[in-house]
Amino acid sequence: MQTIAARLTPVLLLICSNVFMTFAWYGHLKFKDRPLWLVVLASWGVALFEYCLAVPANRFGSGLYSAAQLKAMQEVITLIVFAIFAVTYLGQRVTINQVLGFALISAGAFFVFRAPIP
């Protein structure tokens, strides 16, 4: 039986890695006046930290979760982190259509964690 800490470690690492990756992918949108090459380099620098968290998350998690479960978990975490980022950092609203779309994607993740259908 796995400990709670062992089950949570990959989740927490994926949350942290997604925060970095969200900033790497979308943080530059507040700096549209900067040259593209500069924001690409800055994004690569931020993404390096994301990889330093995502790779261990998947390595540690692979002993407890299947690759499909890790991917599904990562996608749901990405949606949650992105929604919070869009509101708090970019100042954008989350619309009902976005909530419904994210919920449908999350429903897909739910089925990945279920036992196979006979």
Side-chain angles (χ1 to χ4, degrees):
M1 182 170 165
Q2 299 89 13
T3 66
I4 291 175
R7 293 184 82 62
L8 285 179
T9 296
V11 175
L12 295 174
L13 287 170
L14 285 173
I15 290 169
C16 293
S17 76
N18 271 281
V19 169
F20 279 104
M21 201 58 177
T22 301
F23 271 97
W25 284 1
Y26 303 103
H28 64 88
L29 295 178
K30 285 187 102 172
F31 303 99
K32 292 181 181 178
D33 59 326
R34 303 303 198 300
L36 185 58
W37 68 268
L38 182 61
V39 296
V40 167
L41 287 177
S43 292
W44 277 6
V46 173
L48 171 65
F49 293 107
E50 186 270 341
Y51 272 76
C52 290
L53 296 168
V55 171
N58 288 307
R59 175 70 62 96
F60 299 148
S62 68
L64 304 166
Y65 304 103
S66 70
Q69 288 172 325
L70 285 166
K71 182 59 179 169
M73 190 184 314
Q74 186 268 334
E75 293 300 333
V76 172
I77 290 168
T78 296
L79 295 173
I80 294 167
V81 168
F82 176 78
I84 293 167
F85 177 86
V87 171
T88 60
Y89 186 78
L90 296 177
Q92 298 180 357
R93 303 184 319 113
V94 176
T95 67
I96 189 67
N97 287 10
Q98 292 166 346
V99 170
L100 291 172
F102 290 175
L104 288 171
I105 294 168
S106 297
F110 168 80
F111 286 104
V112 172
F113 278 86
R114 306 299 304 167
I117 297 173

